[in-house]
Amino acid sequence: MSEGQRLFVGGRWTEPDGGHYPVTDPATEETVGWAPEASPAQVRAACAAAREAFAIWSRTRPEERAAVLGRAAEIIRSSMEPYAELARAETGATTGTARAMQVGVAAARFRRYASVEPAEWAVAPQINEAGPMGRAGVVGALAVRQPVGVVTCVTSYNNPWANPAGKVAPALAMGNTVVVKPAPQDPLSVYRMAQALEAAGAPPGVVNVVSGRDVGVGEAAVACDDVDMVSFTGSTAVGRRIAEVCGRDMKRQLMELGGKGAALVLDDADLGSAVAGIGTTFSFYSGQICTAPTRVLAQRGVYDRLVEQLAAYAGRLKVGDPREADTVVGPVISAEHRARVEAYVELGRKEGATVVRGGERPPLERGFYVSPTLLADCANDMRVAREEIFGPVVVVIPFDEEDEGVALANDSEYGLIDYVWSGDVARAFRLARRLRAGGVGVNTVGRNMEAPFGGFKKSGVGRDVGSYALHAYSEVQAIVWPG
């Protein structure tokens, strides 16, 4: 492709109506490449192509669809190095993260949905013993899964491989067709994914990718009459606007939105484990991840020691060039986002929080870096404790009794993933059941990639990952017959 990346519409690489815009490396502030700016008309053409392709793709045997996904997984895996280098350059992720957690997870997700078990599709058949007309009304009932139709996938900037793959792979496995609208900051990786699917044999129109910085691109991809469902990962504010459009037209939706994960650290916790888990907020995507334990609720008996150890942990993390092997904290995505994170740290100071560690810009000549920052002596009504900062910033709030800790954790408009650290596992599980969150980590920040993922409250609608993603991208149809 010559001067800039082209759109992928209806199986063709198409010049964008709006020209191209630069994609910037957050670590060097240099241009990585040129992304296409689609027009609303081109977005609608992509949706129309997906609608036309759906008629055939939805009737293609599941084994054939799985074969395409399997070949795509192998292409992605075999191109790990160039794909990971592009992802690192677009996002500022460390090289290890780009390889393992971005491109590696994407390949794994395509492999996973290339091997769907029949049991994951099935809904148990039902026979009623008597209907409203007695034995004469006995009928058999079979519930089957059907694809939803055309799915618009609006993806996040923090992981341009794993996040789109988590939408595209299960949607295609179920027989849907997709229009992907990647985040404007790092869309080039998503076009590589489309190339892999094209090479793997995805028919024209089954996968379409349209990008752009103008909000009209995303609006057209959501509002188009050819679209049956929207799968969105991003902020709650944008999710609300998308949900309004979906509600007007009765489009299905899957929303993975913001988070302000509470981490309850009880007085009997293993502090080493808690510090290592909470510390991932500083390093993993430089805190640009909705699942991070950013709001630490520490019981009084461990509060001082926990703050001290978290500060020491943050101070040991190397901030710098993500290409260097010993770098742990890379840049945030843009200068604008850095300014936003820094504004929150200053707001925390004004609200009365103590900046125990960080709070200043690292002494690096180029790049959008933010020092790992720890704010202590916080209260749950502070904005830094209530709003999603999306950067390497952790706030710590003390509490006395269990009930108070649970109440503080639940006193949030978010409810994505919370955490509990306790030496008493039974106690931790008991408290986990009281937390209003879609997921709870007990003594870990690890994820099980078969467990349902999604949020309570304003953290989202629906569940995906594993079999739950297959359910999310399907409708249940009942077929009945005389008994």
Side-chain angles (χ1 to χ4, degrees):
M1 306 195 181
S2 54
E3 295 182 0
Q5 174 66 55
R6 296 176 182 174
L7 306 169
F8 191 51
V9 177
R12 296 183 179 181
W13 295 96
T14 305
E15 289 293 338
D17 289 344
H20 294 84
Y21 66 90
V23 176
T24 302
D25 184 333
T28 66
E29 302 184 42
E30 297 175 354
T31 298
V32 175
W34 295 87
E37 182 76 37
S39 66
Q42 287 179 311
V43 176
R44 289 189 289 271
C47 296
R51 170 61 64 199
E52 183 177 355
F54 174 72
I56 297 175
W57 182 249
S58 61
R59 296 198 303 271
T60 302
R61 291 189 308 116
E63 295 81 2
E64 294 178 31
R65 300 199 296 260
V68 171
L69 299 181
R71 290 191 294 269
E74 182 55 29
I75 291 168
I76 293 169
R77 189 200 62 77
S78 65
S79 303
M80 174 70 71
E81 292 307 315
Y83 286 171
E85 174 57 23
L86 176 60
R88 183 212 57 73
E90 283 195 289
T91 66
T94 62
T95 298
T97 295
R99 286 175 180 164
M101 302 307 297
Q102 296 191 353
V103 182
V105 170
R109 286 181 165 171
F110 277 102
R111 282 198 304 271
R112 191 262 180 259
Y113 294 106
S115 56
V116 173
E117 295 293 331
E120 294 182 289
W121 292 65
V123 181
Q126 302 169 41
I127 301 291
N128 63 325
E129 294 185 358
M133 295 182 294
R135 293 295 301 174
V138 174
V139 297
L142 176 65
V144 298
R145 294 201 178 276
Q146 297 277 19
V148 179
V150 175
V151 182
T152 286
C153 303
V154 184
T155 66
S156 61
Y157 72 72
N158 59 353
N159 196 325
W161 277 96
N163 183 261
K167 299 176 185 296
V168 172
L172 296 187
M174 285 303 307
N176 302 283
T177 55
V178 298
V179 176
V180 186
K181 193 281 177 186
Q185 297 92 334
D186 50 12
L188 301 179
S189 289
V190 182
Y191 285 103
R192 299 297 182 275
M193 185 181 297
Q195 287 177 330
L197 283 160
E198 180 187 31
V206 169
V207 178
N208 305 269
V209 184
V210 289
S211 59
R213 293 183 295 184
D214 189 274
V215 295
V217 175
E219 289 174 350
V222 169
C224 182
D225 289 340
D226 282 315
V227 171
D228 301 291
M229 175 179 174
V230 177
S231 177
F232 171 71
T233 299
S235 71
T236 296
V238 175
R240 280 172 168 163
R241 295 199 293 272
I242 291 174
E244 289 174 358
V245 175
C246 290
R248 286 197 298 269
D249 294 332
M250 296 300 171
K251 299 179 192 286
R252 301 296 178 261
Q253 55 184 294
L254 178 61
M255 298 281 180
E256 195 249 292
L257 307 178
K260 191 71 175 178
L264 272 74
V265 183
L266 303 175
D267 51 13
D268 61 352
D270 177 340
L271 289 191
S273 171
V275 168
I278 295 164
T280 61
T281 300
F282 301 128
S283 56
F284 197 46
Y285 300 126
S286 301
Q288 298 168 114
I289 184 165
C290 53
T291 58
T294 56
R295 187 168 53 112
V296 179
L297 308 174
Q299 202 160 14
R300 294 280 183 187
V302 296
Y303 178 83
D304 290 336
R305 285 182 291 146
L306 181 63
V307 169
E308 179 182 359
Q309 292 183 32
L310 279 172
Y313 183 96
R316 292 192 296 268
L317 302 178
K318 179 188 173 182
V319 181
D321 189 340
R323 293 170 293 189
E324 297 180 1
D326 59 344
T327 294
V328 180
V329 183
V332 296
I333 193 67
S334 66
E336 294 79 9
H337 190 59
R338 176 180 60 185
R340 179 180 184 273
V341 174
E342 290 175 336
Y344 267 109
V345 175
E346 183 58 31
L347 174 62
R349 281 196 180 99
K350 292 178 179 178
E351 289 182 311
T354 301
V355 182
V356 180
R357 176 70 65 177
E360 75 290 336
R361 188 175 294 186
L364 299 167
E365 291 184 3
R366 299 178 69 83
F368 311 128
Y369 293 95
V370 176
S371 293
T373 300
L374 181 67
L375 303 178
D377 305 321
C378 295
N380 208 45
D381 60 355
M382 293 179 176
R383 284 182 60 191
V384 290
R386 304 197 70 79
E387 299 176 13
E388 186 176 39
I389 299 173
F390 222 59
V393 180
V394 171
V395 304
V396 190
I397 302 168
F399 72 92
D400 292 302
E401 302 299 328
E402 277 186 10
D403 288 348
E404 180 189 3
V406 171
L408 288 170
N410 289 335
D411 182 16
S412 171
E413 67 178 13
Y414 296 111
L416 188 56
I417 295 187
D418 286 345
Y419 303 87
V420 180
W421 269 276
S422 172
D424 183 340
V425 175
R427 179 190 191 194
F429 270 80
R430 174 171 51 80
L431 293 181
R433 293 292 302 273
R434 297 176 61 190
L435 297 176
R436 300 291 297 164
V440 180
V442 172
N443 294 329
T444 184
V445 293
R447 290 271 304 280
N448 182 315
M449 299 311 292
E450 291 298 315
F453 180 74
F456 287 13
K457 298 182 281 188
K458 294 180 183 176
S459 283
V461 176
R463 296 292 181 271
D464 66 359
V465 180
S467 298
Y468 298 90
L470 297 171
H471 302 169
Y473 293 101
S474 65
E475 298 275 26
V476 177
Q477 180 185 59
I479 301 174
V480 299
W481 65 93

